[in-house]
């Protein structure tokens, strides 16, 4: 019998506030929500109340990792001290490599309506933490997608989707952490079995509906829950009622992680240097 990936934990996020008071759900990276190397943080924002998002994220620094923002609904504007400007609309992605340093803002381009999406923090290997900073704006039309034989729509943001019948390379590739980031939209009664390399850390975040997993003991998981899985085995997902699921996988770096707010390095000394560089105006 084929071995399935084992469920390590199923957990909810925690209400949080960030930026200038944006309300969100911190799925990993908060108190009691440990990191899952190479991933540092996952936030979900989902509201139609402008008071929850209108203040946005005024200018703030980062160093040592990458931020991936994926918008389901709404409009946010990115600006940074390198001169990059991007408008993130529904279905789009912003992939920012903070590396040695970037100061940016993310502000809503709307005064009403729904704002729904995610921000994921992906660690950089030590060799790249002081490399060149960069920014990429990826509109929805430039993100590959497919529909499987069983009726699952797959948005392939990063990595490569492969279910044994179809393969699709995503919009972004990273050699060291090899992130796989898919938005899986399961129609009622559909199923999907993405192939993932053994050794990759795998998380599933159910943001809509209910998801069924084939595991040692089959479980149904509802919206607002994060599922952490073992590093080996196959993955079989199904939904009787329909579901929206973020599949997040990556190769762990197995390096020390020292974090101070928006700075993620490998030692306390490197964090202290990041703070000095920021205070001295030479972060990048």
């Amino acid at each position: 019998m084929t071995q399935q990936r084992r469920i390590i934990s199923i957990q909810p996020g925690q209400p949080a506030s960030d930026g200038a008071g944006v309300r969100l759900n911190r799925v990993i990276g908060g108190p009691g929500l440990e990191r899952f190397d190479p991933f540092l943080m996952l936030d979900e924002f989902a509201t139609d109340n402008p008071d929850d998002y209108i203040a946005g994220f005024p200018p703030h620094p980062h160093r040592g990792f990458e931020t991936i923002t994926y918008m389901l609904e709404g409009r946010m504007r990115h600006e940074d001290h390198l001169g990059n400007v991007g408008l993130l609309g529904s279905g789009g992605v912003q992939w920012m490599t903070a590396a040695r340093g970037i100061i940016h803002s993310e502000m809503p381009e709307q005064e009403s309506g729904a704002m729904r999406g995610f921000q994921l923090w992906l660690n950089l290997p030590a060799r790249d933490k002081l490399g060149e900073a960069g920014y990429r704006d990826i509109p929805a039309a430039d993100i590959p997608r497919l529909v499987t034989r069983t009726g699952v729509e797959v948005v392939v943001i990063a990595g490569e989707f492969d279910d044994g019948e179809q393969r699709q390379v995503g919009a972004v590739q990273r050699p060291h952490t090899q992130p796989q980031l898919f938005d899986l939209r399961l129609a009622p009664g559909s199923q999907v079995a993405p192939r993932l390399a053994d050794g990759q850390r795998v998380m599933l975040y159910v943001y809509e509906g209910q998801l069924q997993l084939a595991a040692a003991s089959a479980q149904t998981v509802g919206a607002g829950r994060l599922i952490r899985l073992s590093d080996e085995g196959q993955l079989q997902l199904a939904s009787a009622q329909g579901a929206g699921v973020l599949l997040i996988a990556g190769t762990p770096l197995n390096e020390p992680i020292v974090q101070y707010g928006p700075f993620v390095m490998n030692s306390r000394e490197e964090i202290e240097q990041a703070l000095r560089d920021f205070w001295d105006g030479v972060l990048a």
Side-chain angles (χ1 to χ4, degrees):
M1 186 173 181
T2 303
Q3 178 186 0
Q4 301 295 319
R5 288 190 183 246
R6 178 174 51 86
I7 297 173
I8 297 174
S9 67
I10 300 174
Q11 62 194 50
Q14 296 179 356
S17 177
D18 213 331
V22 176
R23 294 186 180 180
L24 47 83
N25 181 39
R26 184 142 291 161
V27 182
I28 64 170
L33 303 171
E34 62 184 286
R35 307 178 186 99
F36 206 37
D37 184 14
F39 303 104
L40 304 165
M41 190 185 79
L42 174 63
D43 283 345
E44 176 188 32
F45 43 95
T47 181
D48 57 7
N49 180 358
D51 291 340
D52 292 341
Y53 62 74
I54 199 67
F57 301 88
H60 58 281
H62 291 296
R63 173 178 277 183
F65 60 99
E66 300 188 278
T67 69
I68 302 110
T69 308
Y70 173 43
M71 189 71 79
L72 296 178
E73 294 182 75
R75 291 161 60 88
M76 294 281 285
R77 177 172 293 274
H78 164 102
E79 296 184 358
D80 63 47
H81 82 289
L82 300 176
N84 298 305
V85 177
L87 180 60
L88 178 60
S90 298
V93 168
Q94 290 182 345
W95 196 293
M96 187 182 80
T97 303
R100 68 188 184 194
I102 200 164
I103 300 171
H104 77 138
S105 63
E106 298 163 296
M107 302 300 292
E109 278 280 302
Q110 61 190 60
E111 297 180 355
S112 62
M115 181 79 74
R116 298 179 64 217
F118 306 91
Q119 186 169 97
L120 177 68
W121 287 15
L122 173 63
N123 204 4
L124 284 169
R127 73 182 78 178
D128 295 335
K129 283 185 177 292
L130 295 180
E132 292 287 337
Y135 170 81
R136 184 178 173 191
D137 190 38
I138 312 172
D142 292 345
I143 301 175
R145 61 184 65 214
L146 59 87
V147 178
T148 70
R149 178 180 54 81
T150 62
V152 178
E153 182 180 359
V154 185
V155 183
V156 190
I157 297 168
E160 181 179 14
F161 176 84
D162 179 3
D163 67 353
E165 296 181 347
Q166 295 189 70
R167 297 177 65 183
Q168 176 62 62
V169 174
V172 177
Q173 308 295 315
R174 287 291 183 268
H176 301 300
T177 49
Q178 298 179 307
Q180 314 293 310
L181 180 55
F182 313 144
D183 181 2
L184 305 174
R185 301 175 184 180
L186 286 81
S190 66
Q191 58 186 1
V192 65
R195 295 180 173 182
L196 299 169
D198 285 346
Q200 283 211 311
R201 297 279 164 81
V202 181
M203 300 184 290
L204 302 167
Y205 183 69
V206 184
Y207 66 86
E208 286 180 359
Q210 292 189 330
L211 180 70
Q212 284 84 45
L213 286 88
S217 56
Q219 296 198 40
T220 298
V221 181
R225 295 292 187 271
L226 177 81
I227 307 158
R228 301 199 309 170
L229 300 170
S230 62
D231 294 355
E232 296 183 351
Q234 294 191 351
L235 183 61
Q236 292 185 333
L237 311 176
S239 181
Q241 301 177 357
V245 181
L246 276 190
L247 187 155
I248 303 167
T251 302
L253 292 169
N254 296 315
E255 295 177 349
I257 297 174
V258 181
Q259 180 174 356
Y260 183 83
F263 306 127
V264 181
M265 303 301 290
N266 299 108
S267 69
R268 180 176 177 179
E269 292 74 18
E270 290 172 329
I271 290 292
E272 291 172 350
Q273 185 63 55
L275 288 167
R276 285 194 296 270
D277 289 346
F278 177 59
W279 293 332
D280 293 342
V282 292
L283 184 69

